[in-house]
Amino acid sequence: MAEEREPEDFEEVDAVAVLADQGALTPRVNPNAAGMVVAKQAAAVAATSFAAGVATVAVVRGARAVRARRRVRSRNKAQQLAPVLATRSFLIDVHLLGSRD
């Protein structure tokens, strides 16, 4: 069986109880100050989220506008070449067969 060892280096702490009536040792915290920090953080998150949303909408609208311009240009080029009188669509199925050997 393994021998149980006591720790060689340990810290011994003596504590003295301090009563709450001794107000000099208790820190004074303004409850309104803590609420203000939370409110500022919430406002910062809301503003950042709004700005990110506005930027996303601007990017998407810009991309759509670029695509629309490209479509208009391609239509103009197609109209300049020759007028299309009719179009037909055919389904073609191509099979490549190997030898039977």
Side-chain angles (χ1 to χ4, degrees):
M1 294 188 130
E3 295 180 25
E4 291 184 26
R5 294 185 187 179
E6 292 188 26
E8 296 173 8
D9 296 327
F10 61 93
E11 181 179 355
E12 185 174 326
V13 178
D14 291 331
V16 178
V18 177
L19 299 176
D21 294 335
Q22 300 173 355
L25 298 178
T26 58
R28 300 282 181 192
V29 176
N30 185 358
N32 293 333
M36 289 298 292
V37 170
V38 172
K40 287 180 183 178
Q41 288 175 345
V45 168
T48 305
S49 299
F50 179 76
V54 168
T56 302
V57 169
V59 167
V60 169
R61 284 188 180 176
R64 285 183 183 167
V66 167
R67 277 191 240 128
R69 274 189 246 126
R70 286 181 187 164
R71 260 188 252 127
V72 169
R73 286 181 189 163
S74 66
R75 283 186 206 148
N76 289 342
K77 287 181 183 179
Q79 290 174 357
Q80 292 173 359
L81 296 177
V84 177
L85 300 177
T87 59
R88 305 277 192 286
S89 297
F90 297 100
L91 177 63
I92 299 174
D93 192 15
V94 177
H95 296 274
L96 300 175
L97 302 177
S99 63
R100 293 186 180 194
D101 293 339

Coordinates of all heavy atoms in Angstrom, one line a residue:
M1 N 0.8 -1.2 0.0 CA 0.0 0.0 0.0 C 0.9 1.2 0.0 O 2.0 1.2 0.5 CB -0.9 0.0 1.2 CG -2.0 -1.1 1.3 SD -3.0 -0.7 2.6 CE -4.6 -0.8 1.8
A2 N 0.3 2.3 -0.6 CA 1.1 3.5 -0.7 C 1.0 4.2 0.6 O -0.1 4.2 1.3 CB 0.5 4.4 -1.8
E3 N 2.1 4.9 1.0 CA 2.1 5.6 2.2 C 1.4 7.0 2.0 O 1.6 7.6 1.0 CB 3.5 5.9 2.7 CG 4.3 4.6 3.0 CD 5.7 5.0 3.5 OE1 5.9 6.1 3.9 OE2 6.6 4.1 3.3
E4 N 0.6 7.4 3.0 CA 0.0 8.7 3.0 C 1.0 9.7 3.5 O 1.6 9.6 4.5 CB -1.3 8.7 3.8 CG -2.4 7.8 3.2 CD -3.7 8.0 4.0 OE1 -3.9 9.0 4.6 OE2 -4.4 7.0 4.0
R5 N 1.2 10.8 2.6 CA 2.1 11.8 3.0 C 1.3 13.1 3.4 O 0.3 13.4 2.7 CB 3.0 12.1 1.9 CG 3.9 11.0 1.5 CD 4.9 11.5 0.5 NE 5.7 10.4 0.0 CZ 6.6 10.5 -1.0 NH1 6.8 11.7 -1.6 NH2 7.3 9.5 -1.3
E6 N 1.8 13.8 4.3 CA 1.3 15.1 4.7 C 2.0 16.1 3.8 O 3.2 16.0 3.6 CB 1.4 15.4 6.1 CG 0.5 14.5 7.0 CD 0.5 14.9 8.4 OE1 0.7 16.1 8.7 OE2 0.3 14.1 9.3
P7 N 1.3 17.2 3.4 CA 2.0 18.2 2.6 C 3.1 18.9 3.5 O 2.9 19.2 4.6 CB 0.9 19.2 2.2 CG -0.3 18.8 3.1 CD -0.1 17.5 3.6
E8 N 4.2 19.0 2.8 CA 5.4 19.6 3.6 C 5.2 21.1 3.7 O 5.5 21.7 4.8 CB 6.7 19.3 2.8 CG 6.9 17.8 2.8 CD 8.1 17.5 1.9 OE1 8.8 18.4 1.5 OE2 8.4 16.3 1.7
D9 N 4.8 21.7 2.6 CA 4.6 23.2 2.7 C 3.1 23.5 2.6 O 2.4 23.2 1.6 CB 5.3 23.8 1.5 CG 6.8 23.6 1.5 OD1 7.3 23.6 2.6 OD2 7.4 23.5 0.4
F10 N 2.6 24.1 3.6 CA 1.2 24.5 3.6 C 1.1 25.8 4.3 O 1.9 26.1 5.2 CB 0.3 23.4 4.2 CG 0.6 23.1 5.7 CD1 -0.1 23.8 6.7 CD2 1.5 22.1 6.0 CE1 0.1 23.5 8.0 CE2 1.7 21.8 7.3 CZ 1.1 22.5 8.3
E11 N 0.1 26.5 4.0 CA -0.1 27.8 4.6 C -1.2 27.8 5.6 O -2.3 27.2 5.4 CB -0.6 28.8 3.5 CG -0.8 30.2 3.9 CD -1.2 31.1 2.8 OE1 -1.2 30.7 1.6 OE2 -1.5 32.3 3.1
E12 N -1.0 28.3 6.8 CA -2.0 28.3 7.8 C -2.5 29.7 8.0 O -1.7 30.7 8.1 CB -1.3 27.9 9.2 CG -2.3 27.8 10.3 CD -1.6 27.2 11.5 OE1 -0.7 26.3 11.4 OE2 -2.0 27.6 12.6
V13 N -3.7 29.9 7.9 CA -4.3 31.2 7.9 C -5.2 31.4 9.2 O -6.0 30.5 9.5 CB -5.2 31.5 6.7 CG1 -5.9 32.8 6.7 CG2 -4.4 31.3 5.4
D14 N -5.0 32.4 9.9 CA -5.8 32.8 11.0 C -6.8 33.8 10.6 O -6.3 34.9 10.0 CB -5.0 33.3 12.2 CG -4.1 32.2 12.8 OD1 -4.6 31.0 12.8 OD2 -3.1 32.5 13.4
A15 N -8.1 33.6 10.8 CA -9.1 34.6 10.3 C -9.8 35.2 11.6 O -10.0 34.5 12.5 CB -10.1 33.9 9.4
V16 N -10.1 36.5 11.4 CA -10.8 37.1 12.5 C -12.1 37.6 11.9 O -12.2 38.2 10.8 CB -10.0 38.4 13.0 CG1 -10.8 39.1 14.1 CG2 -8.7 38.0 13.5
A17 N -13.2 37.2 12.6 CA -14.5 37.6 12.1 C -14.8 39.1 12.3 O -14.4 39.7 13.3 CB -15.6 36.8 12.9
V18 N -15.3 39.7 11.3 CA -15.7 41.2 11.4 C -17.2 41.3 11.3 O -17.8 40.8 10.4 CB -15.0 41.9 10.2 CG1 -15.4 43.4 10.2 CG2 -13.5 41.8 10.2
L19 N -17.7 41.9 12.2 CA -19.2 42.1 12.3 C -19.6 43.2 11.3 O -18.9 44.1 11.0 CB -19.6 42.5 13.7 CG -19.3 41.4 14.7 CD1 -19.7 42.0 16.1 CD2 -20.0 40.1 14.4
A20 N -20.8 43.0 10.7 CA -21.4 43.9 9.8 C -21.7 45.3 10.4 O -21.8 46.3 9.7 CB -22.6 43.4 9.1
D21 N -21.8 45.4 11.7 CA -22.1 46.6 12.3 C -20.9 47.6 12.2 O -21.0 48.8 12.3 CB -22.4 46.4 13.8 CG -23.7 45.6 14.0 OD1 -24.5 45.7 13.1 OD2 -23.8 45.0 15.0
Q22 N -19.7 47.1 12.0 CA -18.5 47.9 11.8 C -18.5 48.4 10.4 O -17.8 47.9 9.6 CB -17.3 47.2 12.2 CG -17.3 46.7 13.6 CD -16.1 45.8 13.9 OE1 -15.3 45.4 13.0 NE2 -15.9 45.4 15.2
G23 N -19.2 49.4 10.1 CA -19.4 49.9 8.7 C -18.1 50.4 8.1 O -18.1 50.5 6.9
A24 N -17.1 50.7 8.8 CA -15.9 51.2 8.2 C -15.2 50.2 7.3 O -14.5 50.6 6.4 CB -14.9 51.7 9.3
L25 N -15.4 48.9 7.6 CA -14.7 47.9 6.8 C -15.5 47.4 5.6 O -14.9 46.7 4.7 CB -14.3 46.7 7.7 CG -13.3 47.1 8.8 CD1 -13.1 45.8 9.7 CD2 -12.0 47.6 8.3
T26 N -16.8 47.7 5.6 CA -17.6 47.2 4.4 C -17.5 48.2 3.3 O -17.5 49.4 3.5 CB -19.0 47.1 4.8 OG1 -19.5 48.3 5.3 CG2 -19.2 46.0 5.9
P27 N -17.3 47.8 2.1 CA -17.1 48.7 1.0 C -18.5 49.4 0.6 O -19.5 48.8 0.7 CB -16.7 47.8 -0.2 CG -17.1 46.5 0.2 CD -17.1 46.4 1.7
R28 N -18.4 50.6 0.3 CA -19.6 51.3 -0.1 C -19.8 51.2 -1.6 O -18.9 51.6 -2.4 CB -19.5 52.8 0.3 CG -19.2 53.1 1.7 CD -20.5 53.0 2.4 NE -20.3 53.2 3.9 CZ -21.2 53.0 4.8 NH1 -22.4 52.5 4.5 NH2 -20.9 53.2 6.0
V29 N -20.9 50.6 -2.0 CA -21.1 50.4 -3.5 C -22.4 51.2 -3.8 O -23.5 50.9 -3.1 CB -21.3 48.9 -3.8 CG1 -21.7 48.8 -5.3 CG2 -20.0 48.2 -3.5
N30 N -22.4 52.0 -4.7 CA -23.6 52.7 -5.2 C -24.4 51.8 -6.1 O -23.9 51.4 -7.1 CB -23.2 54.0 -5.9 CG -24.4 54.8 -6.3 OD1 -25.5 54.5 -6.0 ND2 -24.1 56.0 -6.9
P31 N -25.6 51.4 -5.6 CA -26.4 50.4 -6.5 C -26.7 51.0 -7.8 O -26.9 50.3 -8.8 CB -27.6 50.1 -5.6 CG -27.7 51.2 -4.6 CD -26.3 51.8 -4.4
N32 N -26.8 52.3 -7.9 CA -27.2 52.9 -9.2 C -26.0 52.9 -10.2 O -26.2 52.8 -11.4 CB -27.6 54.4 -9.0 CG -28.9 54.5 -8.3 OD1 -29.7 53.6 -8.3 ND2 -29.1 55.6 -7.5
A33 N -24.8 52.9 -9.6 CA -23.6 52.8 -10.5 C -23.5 51.4 -11.2 O -23.2 51.4 -12.4 CB -22.3 53.0 -9.7
A34 N -23.8 50.4 -10.5 CA -23.8 49.0 -11.1 C -24.9 49.0 -12.2 O -24.6 48.4 -13.3 CB -24.0 48.0 -10.1
G35 N -26.0 49.5 -12.0 CA -27.1 49.5 -13.0 C -26.7 50.4 -14.2 O -27.1 50.0 -15.3
M36 N -26.0 51.4 -14.0 CA -25.5 52.3 -15.1 C -24.6 51.5 -16.0 O -24.6 51.7 -17.2 CB -24.9 53.6 -14.6 CG -25.9 54.5 -14.0 SD -27.1 55.1 -15.1 CE -26.1 56.1 -16.2
V37 N -23.7 50.7 -15.4 CA -22.7 50.0 -16.2 C -23.5 49.0 -17.1 O -23.2 48.9 -18.3 CB -21.7 49.3 -15.3 CG1 -20.8 48.3 -16.1 CG2 -20.8 50.3 -14.6
V38 N -24.4 48.3 -16.5 CA -25.2 47.3 -17.3 C -26.0 48.0 -18.4 O -26.1 47.6 -19.5 CB -26.1 46.5 -16.4 CG1 -27.1 45.7 -17.2 CG2 -25.3 45.7 -15.4
A39 N -26.6 49.2 -18.1 CA -27.3 49.9 -19.1 C -26.4 50.4 -20.2 O -26.8 50.3 -21.4 CB -28.0 51.1 -18.5
K40 N -25.2 50.8 -19.9 CA -24.3 51.3 -20.9 C -23.8 50.1 -21.8 O -23.7 50.2 -23.0 CB -23.0 51.9 -20.3 CG -23.3 53.3 -19.7 CD -22.0 53.9 -19.1 CE -22.3 55.2 -18.5 NZ -21.1 55.8 -17.8
Q41 N -23.6 49.0 -21.2 CA -23.2 47.8 -22.0 C -24.4 47.4 -22.9 O -24.2 47.0 -24.1 CB -22.9 46.6 -21.1 CG -21.6 46.8 -20.4 CD -21.3 45.7 -19.4 OE1 -22.2 44.9 -19.0 NE2 -20.1 45.6 -18.9
A42 N -25.6 47.4 -22.4 CA -26.8 47.0 -23.2 C -26.9 48.0 -24.4 O -27.2 47.6 -25.5 CB -28.0 47.0 -22.4
A43 N -26.7 49.3 -24.1 CA -26.8 50.3 -25.2 C -25.8 50.1 -26.3 O -26.0 50.2 -27.5 CB -26.8 51.7 -24.6
A44 N -24.6 49.7 -25.8 CA -23.5 49.5 -26.8 C -23.7 48.3 -27.6 O -23.5 48.3 -28.8 CB -22.1 49.3 -26.0
V45 N -24.3 47.2 -27.0 CA -24.6 46.0 -27.8 C -25.7 46.3 -28.8 O -25.6 45.9 -30.0 CB -25.0 44.9 -26.9 CG1 -25.6 43.7 -27.6 CG2 -23.8 44.4 -26.1
A46 N -26.7 47.1 -28.4 CA -27.8 47.4 -29.3 C -27.3 48.3 -30.4 O -27.7 48.0 -31.6 CB -28.9 48.1 -28.5
A47 N -26.5 49.2 -30.2 CA -26.0 50.1 -31.2 C -25.1 49.4 -32.2 O -25.2 49.5 -33.4 CB -25.2 51.3 -30.6
T48 N -24.3 48.5 -31.7 CA -23.4 47.7 -32.6 C -24.2 46.7 -33.4 O -23.9 46.6 -34.6 CB -22.4 46.9 -31.7 OG1 -21.7 47.8 -30.9 CG2 -21.4 46.1 -32.6
S49 N -25.2 46.1 -32.8 CA -26.1 45.2 -33.6 C -26.8 45.9 -34.7 O -27.0 45.5 -35.8 CB -27.1 44.5 -32.7 OG -26.4 43.7 -31.7
F50 N -27.3 47.1 -34.4 CA -28.0 47.9 -35.4 C -27.1 48.3 -36.5 O -27.5 48.2 -37.7 CB -28.6 49.2 -34.7 CG -29.4 50.0 -35.7 CD1 -30.6 49.7 -36.1 CD2 -28.8 51.2 -36.2 CE1 -31.3 50.5 -37.0 CE2 -29.4 52.0 -37.0 CZ -30.7 51.7 -37.5
A51 N -25.9 48.7 -36.2 CA -24.9 49.1 -37.2 C -24.6 47.9 -38.1 O -24.4 48.1 -39.3 CB -23.7 49.7 -36.6
A52 N -24.4 46.8 -37.5 CA -24.1 45.6 -38.3 C -25.2 45.2 -39.2 O -25.0 44.8 -40.4 CB -23.8 44.4 -37.4
G53 N -26.5 45.4 -38.8 CA -27.6 45.1 -39.6 C -27.7 46.1 -40.8 O -28.0 45.7 -41.9
V54 N -27.5 47.3 -40.5 CA -27.5 48.3 -41.6 C -26.4 48.0 -42.6 O -26.7 48.1 -43.8 CB -27.3 49.8 -41.0 CG1 -27.1 50.8 -42.1 CG2 -28.6 50.1 -40.2
A55 N -25.3 47.7 -42.2 CA -24.2 47.4 -43.1 C -24.5 46.1 -43.9 O -24.3 46.1 -45.1 CB -22.9 47.1 -42.3
T56 N -25.1 45.1 -43.3 CA -25.5 43.9 -44.1 C -26.6 44.2 -45.1 O -26.5 43.8 -46.3 CB -26.1 42.9 -43.1 OG1 -25.1 42.6 -42.1 CG2 -26.5 41.6 -43.8
V57 N -27.6 45.0 -44.8 CA -28.6 45.4 -45.8 C -28.0 46.2 -46.9 O -28.3 46.0 -48.1 CB -29.7 46.3 -45.1 CG1 -30.6 46.9 -46.1 CG2 -30.5 45.4 -44.1
A58 N -27.0 47.1 -46.6 CA -26.4 47.9 -47.7 C -25.6 47.0 -48.6 O -25.6 47.2 -49.8 CB -25.5 48.9 -47.0
V59 N -24.9 46.0 -48.1 CA -24.1 45.1 -48.9 C -25.0 44.3 -49.8 O -24.7 44.1 -51.0 CB -23.2 44.2 -48.0 CG1 -22.6 43.1 -48.8 CG2 -22.1 45.0 -47.4
V60 N -26.1 43.8 -49.2 CA -27.0 42.9 -50.0 C -27.6 43.8 -51.1 O -27.7 43.3 -52.3 CB -28.1 42.3 -49.1 CG1 -29.2 41.6 -49.9 CG2 -27.4 41.3 -48.2
R61 N -28.1 45.0 -50.8 CA -28.7 45.8 -51.8 C -27.7 46.2 -52.9 O -28.0 46.2 -54.1 CB -29.3 47.1 -51.2 CG -30.6 46.9 -50.5 CD -31.2 48.2 -50.1 NE -32.4 47.9 -49.4 CZ -33.2 48.8 -48.8 NH1 -32.8 50.1 -48.9 NH2 -34.3 48.5 -48.2
G62 N -26.5 46.4 -52.5 CA -25.4 46.8 -53.5 C -25.2 45.6 -54.5 O -25.0 45.8 -55.7
A63 N -25.1 44.4 -53.9 CA -24.9 43.2 -54.7 C -26.0 43.0 -55.7 O -25.8 42.6 -56.9 CB -24.7 42.0 -53.8
R64 N -27.3 43.2 -55.2 CA -28.4 43.0 -56.1 C -28.4 44.1 -57.2 O -28.7 43.8 -58.4 CB -29.7 43.2 -55.3 CG -30.0 42.0 -54.5 CD -31.4 42.1 -53.8 NE -31.6 41.0 -52.9 CZ -32.6 41.0 -52.0 NH1 -33.4 42.0 -51.9 NH2 -32.8 39.9 -51.3
A65 N -28.0 45.3 -56.9 CA -27.9 46.3 -57.9 C -26.9 46.0 -59.0 O -27.1 46.2 -60.2 CB -27.6 47.7 -57.3
V66 N -25.7 45.4 -58.6 CA -24.7 45.0 -59.5 C -25.2 43.9 -60.5 O -25.0 44.0 -61.7 CB -23.4 44.6 -58.8 CG1 -22.4 43.9 -59.7 CG2 -22.8 45.8 -58.1
R67 N -25.9 43.0 -59.9 CA -26.5 41.9 -60.7 C -27.5 42.4 -61.7 O -27.5 42.0 -62.8 CB -27.1 40.8 -59.8 CG -26.1 39.8 -59.3 CD -26.7 38.6 -58.6 NE -26.3 38.6 -57.3 CZ -27.0 38.6 -56.2 NH1 -28.3 38.5 -56.3 NH2 -26.5 38.5 -55.0
A68 N -28.3 43.3 -61.2 CA -29.3 43.9 -62.1 C -28.7 44.7 -63.3 O -29.1 44.6 -64.4 CB -30.3 44.9 -61.3
R69 N -27.6 45.4 -63.0 CA -26.9 46.1 -64.1 C -26.3 45.2 -65.1 O -26.3 45.4 -66.3 CB -25.8 47.0 -63.5 CG -26.3 48.4 -63.1 CD -25.2 49.3 -62.7 NE -25.3 49.6 -61.3 CZ -24.4 49.4 -60.4 NH1 -23.2 48.9 -60.7 NH2 -24.6 49.6 -59.1
R70 N -25.8 44.1 -64.6 CA -25.2 43.1 -65.5 C -26.3 42.5 -66.4 O -26.1 42.2 -67.6 CB -24.5 42.0 -64.7 CG -23.2 42.4 -64.1 CD -22.5 41.2 -63.4 NE -21.4 41.7 -62.7 CZ -20.8 41.0 -61.7 NH1 -21.2 39.8 -61.3 NH2 -19.7 41.5 -61.1
R71 N -27.5 42.2 -65.8 CA -28.5 41.7 -66.6 C -29.0 42.6 -67.7 O -29.2 42.2 -68.9 CB -29.7 41.3 -65.7 CG -29.8 39.9 -65.3 CD -31.1 39.6 -64.6 NE -30.7 39.3 -63.2 CZ -31.3 39.9 -62.1 NH1 -32.2 40.8 -62.3 NH2 -30.9 39.7 -60.9
V72 N -29.1 43.9 -67.4 CA -29.5 44.9 -68.4 C -28.4 45.0 -69.5 O -28.8 45.0 -70.7 CB -29.7 46.3 -67.7 CG1 -29.8 47.4 -68.7 CG2 -30.9 46.2 -66.8
R73 N -27.2 44.9 -69.1 CA -26.1 45.0 -70.2 C -26.2 43.8 -71.1 O -26.0 43.9 -72.3 CB -24.7 45.1 -69.5 CG -24.4 46.4 -68.9 CD -23.1 46.4 -68.3 NE -22.9 47.7 -67.5 CZ -21.9 47.8 -66.6 NH1 -21.1 46.8 -66.4 NH2 -21.8 48.9 -66.0
S74 N -26.4 42.6 -70.5 CA -26.4 41.4 -71.3 C -27.6 41.4 -72.2 O -27.6 41.0 -73.4 CB -26.4 40.1 -70.5 OG -27.6 40.0 -69.7
R75 N -28.8 42.0 -71.8 CA -30.0 42.1 -72.6 C -29.7 43.0 -73.8 O -30.1 42.8 -74.9 CB -31.1 42.6 -71.8 CG -31.8 41.5 -71.0 CD -33.0 42.1 -70.3 NE -33.3 41.4 -69.1 CZ -33.8 41.9 -68.0 NH1 -34.2 43.2 -68.0 NH2 -34.0 41.2 -66.9
N76 N -29.0 44.1 -73.5 CA -28.7 45.1 -74.5 C -27.8 44.5 -75.6 O -28.0 44.7 -76.8 CB -28.1 46.4 -73.9 CG -29.1 47.2 -73.1 OD1 -30.3 47.0 -73.3 ND2 -28.6 48.0 -72.3
K77 N -26.8 43.7 -75.2 CA -25.9 43.1 -76.1 C -26.6 42.1 -77.0 O -26.4 42.0 -78.2 CB -24.7 42.4 -75.4 CG -23.7 43.4 -74.8 CD -22.6 42.6 -74.1 CE -21.6 43.6 -73.5 NZ -20.5 42.9 -72.8
A78 N -27.5 41.3 -76.4 CA -28.3 40.3 -77.1 C -29.2 41.0 -78.1 O -29.4 40.5 -79.2 CB -29.1 39.4 -76.1
Q79 N -29.8 42.1 -77.8 CA -30.7 42.8 -78.7 C -29.9 43.4 -79.9 O -30.4 43.6 -81.0 CB -31.4 43.9 -78.0 CG -32.5 43.3 -77.0 CD -33.1 44.4 -76.2 OE1 -32.8 45.6 -76.3 NE2 -34.1 44.0 -75.4
Q80 N -28.6 43.7 -79.7 CA -27.9 44.4 -80.7 C -27.4 43.4 -81.8 O -27.2 43.7 -82.9 CB -26.6 45.1 -80.1 CG -27.0 46.3 -79.3 CD -25.8 46.8 -78.6 OE1 -24.7 46.3 -78.7 NE2 -26.0 47.9 -77.8
L81 N -27.2 42.1 -81.4 CA -26.7 41.1 -82.4 C -27.6 40.8 -83.5 O -27.4 41.1 -84.7 CB -26.3 39.8 -81.7 CG -25.1 40.0 -80.6 CD1 -24.9 38.7 -79.9 CD2 -23.9 40.5 -81.3
A82 N -28.7 40.2 -83.2 CA -29.8 39.9 -84.2 C -31.1 39.6 -83.5 O -31.0 39.1 -82.3 CB -29.3 38.7 -85.0
P83 N -32.2 39.9 -84.1 CA -33.4 39.6 -83.4 C -33.7 38.1 -83.4 O -33.5 37.4 -84.4 CB -34.5 40.4 -84.3 CG -33.8 40.5 -85.6 CD -32.4 40.6 -85.3
V84 N -34.2 37.6 -82.3 CA -34.5 36.2 -82.1 C -35.9 36.0 -82.5 O -36.8 36.6 -81.9 CB -34.2 35.7 -80.7 CG1 -34.6 34.3 -80.5 CG2 -32.8 35.9 -80.3
L85 N -36.2 35.2 -83.5 CA -37.6 35.0 -84.0 C -38.3 33.9 -83.2 O -39.5 34.1 -82.9 CB -37.6 34.7 -85.5 CG -36.9 35.7 -86.4 CD1 -36.9 35.3 -87.8 CD2 -37.7 37.1 -86.2
A86 N -37.6 32.9 -82.8 CA -38.2 31.8 -82.1 C -37.1 31.0 -81.4 O -35.9 30.9 -81.8 CB -39.0 30.9 -83.0
T87 N -37.5 30.3 -80.3 CA -36.5 29.4 -79.7 C -37.2 28.1 -79.5 O -38.4 27.9 -79.3 CB -36.1 30.0 -78.3 OG1 -37.3 30.1 -77.5 CG2 -35.4 31.3 -78.4
R88 N -36.4 27.0 -79.4 CA -36.8 25.7 -79.2 C -35.9 25.1 -78.2 O -34.7 25.3 -78.2 CB -36.8 24.8 -80.5 CG -37.5 25.4 -81.7 CD -39.0 25.0 -81.6 NE -39.7 25.2 -82.8 CZ -40.1 26.4 -83.3 NH1 -39.7 27.5 -82.7 NH2 -40.8 26.5 -84.4
S89 N -36.5 24.2 -77.3 CA -35.7 23.5 -76.3 C -35.8 22.0 -76.6 O -36.9 21.5 -76.8 CB -36.2 23.9 -74.9 OG -36.0 25.2 -74.6
F90 N -34.7 21.3 -76.5 CA -34.7 19.9 -76.7 C -34.0 19.2 -75.6 O -33.0 19.8 -75.1 CB -34.0 19.5 -78.1 CG -34.7 20.1 -79.3 CD1 -34.3 21.2 -79.9 CD2 -35.9 19.4 -79.8 CE1 -34.9 21.7 -81.0 CE2 -36.5 19.9 -80.9 CZ -36.0 21.1 -81.5
L91 N -34.5 18.1 -75.2 CA -33.8 17.3 -74.2 C -33.0 16.3 -74.9 O -33.5 15.4 -75.6 CB -34.8 16.6 -73.2 CG -34.2 15.7 -72.2 CD1 -33.3 16.5 -71.2 CD2 -35.3 15.0 -71.4
I92 N -31.7 16.3 -74.7 CA -30.8 15.4 -75.4 C -30.1 14.5 -74.3 O -29.6 15.0 -73.3 CB -29.7 16.2 -76.2 CG1 -30.4 17.0 -77.2 CG2 -28.7 15.2 -76.8 CD1 -29.4 17.9 -78.0
D93 N -30.2 13.2 -74.6 CA -29.6 12.2 -73.7 C -28.5 11.5 -74.5 O -28.8 10.8 -75.4 CB -30.7 11.3 -73.2 CG -30.2 10.4 -72.0 OD1 -29.1 10.8 -71.5 OD2 -30.8 9.4 -71.7
V94 N -27.3 11.7 -74.1 CA -26.1 11.1 -74.8 C -25.5 10.0 -73.9 O -25.2 10.2 -72.7 CB -25.1 12.2 -75.1 CG1 -23.9 11.5 -75.8 CG2 -25.7 13.3 -75.9
H95 N -25.3 8.8 -74.5 CA -24.7 7.7 -73.8 C -23.4 7.3 -74.6 O -23.5 7.2 -75.8 CB -25.6 6.4 -73.8 CG -26.9 6.7 -73.0 ND1 -26.9 6.4 -71.7 CD2 -28.1 7.1 -73.4 CE1 -28.2 6.7 -71.3 NE2 -28.9 7.1 -72.3
L96 N -22.4 7.2 -73.9 CA -21.1 6.7 -74.5 C -21.0 5.2 -74.2 O -20.9 4.9 -73.0 CB -19.9 7.5 -74.1 CG -20.0 9.0 -74.4 CD1 -18.8 9.7 -73.7 CD2 -20.0 9.2 -75.9
L97 N -20.9 4.4 -75.2 CA -20.9 2.9 -74.9 C -19.5 2.4 -75.2 O -18.8 2.9 -76.1 CB -21.9 2.2 -75.8 CG -23.3 2.6 -75.6 CD1 -24.2 1.9 -76.6 CD2 -23.8 2.4 -74.2
G98 N -19.0 1.5 -74.4 CA -17.7 0.9 -74.6 C -17.9 -0.4 -75.5 O -19.0 -0.8 -75.8
S99 N -16.8 -1.0 -75.8 CA -16.8 -2.2 -76.6 C -17.3 -3.4 -75.8 O -17.2 -3.4 -74.6 CB -15.4 -2.5 -77.2 OG -14.5 -2.8 -76.2
R100 N -17.8 -4.4 -76.5 CA -18.4 -5.6 -75.8 C -17.3 -6.6 -75.4 O -17.6 -7.7 -75.0 CB -19.5 -6.2 -76.6 CG -20.6 -5.3 -76.7 CD -21.8 -6.0 -77.5 NE -22.9 -5.1 -77.6 CZ -24.1 -5.4 -77.9 NH1 -24.3 -6.7 -78.2 NH2 -25.0 -4.5 -78.0
D101 N -16.1 -6.3 -75.7 CA -15.1 -7.3 -75.5 C -14.8 -7.5 -74.0 O -14.8 -6.8 -73.1 CB -13.8 -6.9 -76.2 CG -13.9 -7.0 -77.7 OD1 -14.8 -7.7 -78.1 OD2 -13.1 -6.3 -78.4

